């Protein structure tokens, strides 16, 4: 796996169709993204991101900035980019089918990002990185990452951690419902 997004990749085949959400060769292919692309892309990207998370949190994986970045950043960037395209389309080109596909995938995507941000194993790896081995930009990113772990509940335990996860999922659900109501009201007014 390389340390950057793949280039020159064509749309990945999923059954008889190609999935533009899995094409990272250039800008998002908004004109080709359809509701039926969302679930297969999210499924595929979550599998890759979860595998990367398990790899970097293994006990024998080095607590080194470049090693973690090389393995974890590529699949999570792809997931973020694909989900960002779906979210954008859901906001600006809302259809009942896209809304349904978005709402079906939202809990799984939210659960992954919540779990990633609060993963104690990954947090421990980041805390074990020696800031003296980092350049100034990496030191700042490391400092921000440590802060983000704390803000994402990595230091919570037991019921507090479970409650935080439930709050994150509920917040994502309510935010989506608010957006849907705002779009519906705008459409009704027009």
């Amino acid at each position: 796996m390389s340390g950057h997004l793949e280039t020159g990749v064509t749309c990945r085949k999923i059954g008889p169709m190609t999935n533009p959400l899995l094409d990272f060769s250039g800008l998002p292919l908004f004109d080709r993204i359809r509701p039926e692309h969302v679930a297969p892309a999210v499924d595929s990207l979550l599998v890759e991101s979860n595998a990367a998370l398990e790899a970097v949190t293994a006990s024998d994986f080095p607590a080194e900035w470049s090693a973690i970045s090389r393995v974890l950043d590529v699949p999570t960037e792809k997931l973020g980019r694909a989900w960002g395209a779906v979210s954008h389309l859901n906001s600006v080109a809302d259809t009942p089918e896209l809304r349904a596909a978005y709402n079906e995938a939202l809990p799984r995507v939210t659960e992954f990002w919540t779990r990633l941000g609060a993963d104690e194993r990954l947090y421990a790896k980041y805390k074990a990185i020696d800031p003296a081995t980092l350049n100034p930009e990496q030191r700042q990113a490391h400092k921000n990452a440590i802060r983000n772990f704390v803000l994402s509940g990595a230091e919570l335990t037991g019921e507090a951690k479970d409650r935080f996860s439930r709050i994150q999922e509920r917040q994502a659900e309510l935010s989506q419902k608010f957006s849907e109501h705002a779009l519906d009201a705008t459409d009704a007014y027009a």
Side-chain angles (χ1 to χ4, degrees):
M1 191 174 294
S2 65
H4 53 66
L5 291 178
E6 297 172 23
T7 58
V9 176
T10 58
C11 295
R12 252 192 243 177
K13 294 254 186 217
I14 296 192
M17 66 178 158
T18 56
N19 195 325
L21 287 168
L22 299 175
D23 181 341
F24 302 101
S25 62
L27 295 173
L29 303 169
F30 291 110
D31 61 328
R32 290 198 231 158
I33 298 170
R34 303 285 176 262
E36 60 269 17
H37 297 136
V38 176
V42 167
D43 291 344
S44 174
L45 295 168
L46 283 172
V47 165
E48 290 177 22
S49 295
N50 279 310
L53 176 60
E54 290 307 312
V56 300
T57 57
S59 60
D60 61 342
F61 196 89
E64 297 171 358
W65 181 268
S66 61
I68 294 170
S69 294
R70 206 171 19 258
V71 173
L72 188 60
D73 289 355
V74 173
T76 57
E77 175 66 22
K78 288 178 181 179
L79 175 61
R81 183 172 167 190
W83 188 246
V86 172
S87 297
H88 176 72
L89 282 176
N90 189 56
S91 295
V92 301
D94 182 51
T95 65
E97 297 81 13
L98 182 58
R99 186 180 285 190
Y102 180 88
N103 285 331
E104 186 274 324
L106 180 63
R108 294 181 295 132
V109 173
T110 302
E111 185 277 331
F112 172 78
W113 289 117
T114 300
R115 186 167 37 86
L116 179 74
D119 192 292
E120 296 116 0
R121 303 165 304 164
L122 186 57
Y123 181 42
K125 293 280 182 176
Y126 271 84
K127 288 194 312 188
I129 293 172
D130 179 6
T133 65
L134 305 175
N135 66 36
E137 295 81 11
Q138 291 169 332
R139 270 194 300 280
Q140 184 61 47
H142 179 260
K143 179 181 169 185
N144 292 346
I146 295 293
R147 178 203 60 210
N148 290 342
F149 276 112
V150 172
L151 294 174
S152 295
E155 294 184 346
L156 297 174
T157 59
E159 176 54 31
K161 187 175 206 104
D162 293 340
R163 183 170 182 264
F164 183 82
S165 292
R166 288 190 307 271
I167 289 169
Q168 289 294 98
E169 290 172 16
R170 181 71 174 142
Q171 186 274 331
E173 177 186 324
L174 291 174
S175 178
Q176 172 56 15
K177 290 299 172 197
F178 177 82
S179 294
E180 288 176 7
H181 293 310
L183 281 169
D184 292 345
T186 301
D187 288 345
Y189 177 76

